[in-house]
Amino acid sequence: MRLTKPTLFTNIPVTCEERDLPGNLFTQLMKDDPSTVKGAETLMLGEMLTLPQNFGNIFLGETFSSYISVHNDSNQVVKDILVKADLQTSSQRLNLSASSAAVAELKPDCCIDDVIHHEVKEIGTHILVCAVSYTTQTGEKMYFRKFFKFQVLKPLDVKTKFYNAETDEVFLEAQIQNITTSPMFMEKVSLEPSMMYNVAELNTVDTAGESESTFGSRTYLQPMDTRQYLYCLKPKQEFAEKAGVIKGVTVIGKLDIVWKTNLGERGRLQTSQLQRMAPGYGDVRLSLETIPDTVNLEEPFDITCKITNCSSERTMDLVLEMCNTNSIHWCGVSGRQLGKLHPSSSLHLALTLLSSVQGLQSVSGLRLTDTFLKRTYEYDDIAQVCVVSSEVKQS
């Protein structure tokens, strides 16, 4: 017999108006019904528990519990009783018996009881195989088996999306949908990052100095409802300094999801390692470290660029050229030597520019030339800056 939590008994209310033929009969019957809640008889609420009437559904991540009882129906004493319980899945066979030792004897009308537990980690068909062997009084060895077949269903549908920021940060959006037929209480949804990243959860807001979930105090997920969780991953310092390390397919981490269903029955799922394709930056990467949000019209402002040699083998000798656009004008000497840049190393460069046009303007016009290979790298639309009219001072 499967061991599951009981359910709350709910009664279907039957009512009528006072002027109808039954009068107050239905109302009085509901008040006298011990299964209804006093004062709320017309609501489908109950205070009594109902034992499971069938096997029910079992979902991936839940704990399967079963009660096994071997009863001696004969009038003879049997000896050397060995009870074995195995769980057969599509990929493996697991032994769930608490003890492998044989019981010396079993008298008539007596039984051997055992409770087994197993955290379900596979979906699909499962077969519980219960095997019993024993010896009769005549010394004959007997053996029989019973099979209990059940299906393990998928409780959640998890989808992930990655967003790559220019600052090497990675934003992960996890969409979790409840595909069962009953509500879930989401106890925990966390991201365990890989060794390359630190993670910050973006699913709470600070209210009066306290952290509060963006989903409210009651984090229930109704059937077929979807919820989005957001995480920000930043490369650790030892990896962020080595531009050539974070390339190609990288492991981000895995999601750990814990929920509760009927009367606190717990389930837990861990996804496989989430992977993303790191954006390709070519041989040379140019990124902005600092830039103001708003600047004044025709007034110089400073930005800081980071230039990284993404090659793992070749040293570069770089020359910087600054090309003006219709709205952006660079201040300084164009065509200057930046010197040699070794593989997987970086340099910071402070530049000054001004804008002659108001509005949201794109920073463009930087050119890097590798004098060894005579190859030029163009960088346009690096960032955007809001240009406003400067205040006129009154005399």
Side-chain angles (χ1 to χ4, degrees):
M1 181 178 66
R2 183 189 173 194
L3 296 178
T4 57
K5 299 281 187 179
T7 57
L8 287 170
F9 178 79
T10 57
N11 208 344
I12 300 177
V14 180
T15 61
C16 68
E17 295 184 6
E18 292 184 1
R19 64 189 181 196
D20 289 340
L21 184 61
N24 293 327
L25 177 61
F26 291 153
T27 303
Q28 190 61 41
L29 287 174
M30 286 191 295
K31 287 183 178 180
D32 296 339
D33 190 341
S35 66
T36 59
V37 178
K38 302 306 178 185
E41 292 86 1
T42 57
L43 301 177
M44 291 185 63
L45 299 175
E47 296 178 321
M48 302 181 69
L49 296 176
T50 304
L51 293 176
Q53 303 299 306
N54 50 41
F55 186 87
N57 294 325
I58 184 164
F59 295 97
L60 183 69
E62 293 182 342
T63 299
F64 169 70
S65 300
S66 183
Y67 169 68
I68 298 173
S69 179
V70 178
H71 185 267
N72 186 358
D73 293 336
S74 68
N75 56 4
Q76 299 179 2
V77 177
V78 294
K79 298 180 180 181
D80 301 329
I81 306 96
L82 181 63
V83 182
K84 186 178 180 183
D86 291 341
L87 187 64
Q88 178 70 54
T89 69
S90 59
S91 62
Q92 58 183 336
R93 189 182 181 104
L94 303 168
N95 181 21
L96 305 183
S97 299
S99 175
S100 58
V103 179
E105 66 175 21
L106 184 62
K107 296 180 180 179
D109 289 330
C110 293
C111 59
I112 300 172
D113 299 324
D114 191 13
V115 176
I116 58 174
H117 304 279
H118 174 67
E119 184 179 347
V120 182
K121 298 180 180 180
E122 295 182 42
I123 59 174
T125 304
H126 286 57
I127 303 174
L128 180 64
V129 183
C130 297
V132 180
S133 62
Y134 62 94
T135 304
T136 64
Q137 285 185 334
T138 60
E140 184 181 4
K141 293 187 179 297
M142 305 294 291
Y143 175 83
F144 68 92
R145 291 190 301 175
K146 282 196 174 183
F147 300 89
F148 304 91
K149 186 176 180 180
F150 60 94
Q151 294 288 331
V152 175
L153 307 176
K154 184 179 176 184
L156 299 170
D157 187 28
V158 182
K159 297 178 181 178
T160 57
K161 295 181 182 178
F162 291 104
Y163 304 91
N164 299 305
E166 192 64 33
T167 55
D168 288 333
E169 294 177 336
V170 180
F171 290 90
L172 168 65
E173 177 191 348
Q175 298 181 359
I176 299 177
Q177 182 181 24
N178 176 9
I179 56 176
T180 69
T181 57
S182 59
M184 285 183 178
F185 173 76
M186 305 305 292
E187 184 176 296
K188 184 183 75 168
V189 180
S190 62
L191 177 65
E192 298 178 1
S194 65
M195 59 177 292
M196 297 175 63
Y197 293 95
N198 293 318
V199 65
E201 293 192 13
L202 305 179
N203 306 307
T204 56
V205 290
D206 290 331
T207 305
E210 294 185 358
S211 183
E212 183 178 341
S213 172
T214 55
F215 309 110
S217 58
R218 295 181 177 89
T219 56
Y220 288 101
L221 194 59
Q222 297 295 333
M224 303 312 295
D225 276 3
T226 302
R227 184 174 290 171
Q228 286 87 7
Y229 293 85
L230 187 62
Y231 304 90
C232 177
L233 296 109
K234 296 182 180 180
K236 293 182 179 178
Q237 192 65 30
E238 58 266 29
F239 294 103
E241 294 176 353
K242 301 176 182 179
V245 173
I246 305 179
K247 280 186 178 180
V249 177
T250 56
V251 174
I252 296 296
K254 55 186 178 181
L255 286 169
D256 188 14
I257 306 170
V258 180
W259 70 90
K260 288 182 179 179
T261 53
N262 177 42
L263 294 181
E265 200 156 1
R266 177 176 294 205
R268 181 184 180 185
L269 277 182
Q270 275 193 333
T271 65
S272 56
Q273 290 288 352
L274 304 176
Q275 295 181 333
R276 65 130 191 173
M277 178 64 73
Y281 298 110
D283 295 333
V284 183
R285 179 187 178 189
L286 186 142
S287 58
L288 280 181
E289 296 288 293
T290 60
I291 184 172
D293 296 328
T294 306
V295 298
N296 291 330
L297 181 68
E298 297 181 348
E299 289 187 10
F301 62 93
D302 297 326
I303 64 173
T304 303
C305 297
K306 181 181 179 182
I307 301 173
T308 306
N309 181 358
C310 296
S311 173
S312 58
E313 300 175 351
R314 186 166 56 85
T315 301
M316 297 181 179
D317 191 8
L318 299 175
V319 174
L320 174 66
E321 295 182 11
M322 300 179 292
C323 305
N324 293 333
T325 64
N326 294 332
S327 58
I328 295 295
H329 306 274
W330 297 92
C331 305
V333 179
S334 179
R336 58 171 164 155
Q337 295 276 349
L338 299 181
K340 293 183 179 180
L341 191 60
H342 296 288
S344 300
S345 60
S346 306
L347 63 87
H348 290 80
L349 192 63
L351 299 174
T352 305
L353 60 159
L354 61 86
S355 176
S356 59
V357 180
Q358 293 187 70
L360 193 63
Q361 304 299 329
S362 291
V363 178
S364 302
L366 288 180
R367 306 289 183 264
L368 289 173
T369 302
D370 183 6
T371 58
F372 289 151
L373 296 181
K374 306 298 182 183
R375 185 180 296 172
T376 300
Y377 305 92
E378 299 181 357
Y379 299 96
D380 294 318
D381 298 323
I382 306 168
Q384 291 181 324
V385 64
C386 182
V387 182
V388 297
S389 177
S390 57
E391 297 180 358
V392 179
K393 296 182 180 179
Q394 297 181 355
S395 58

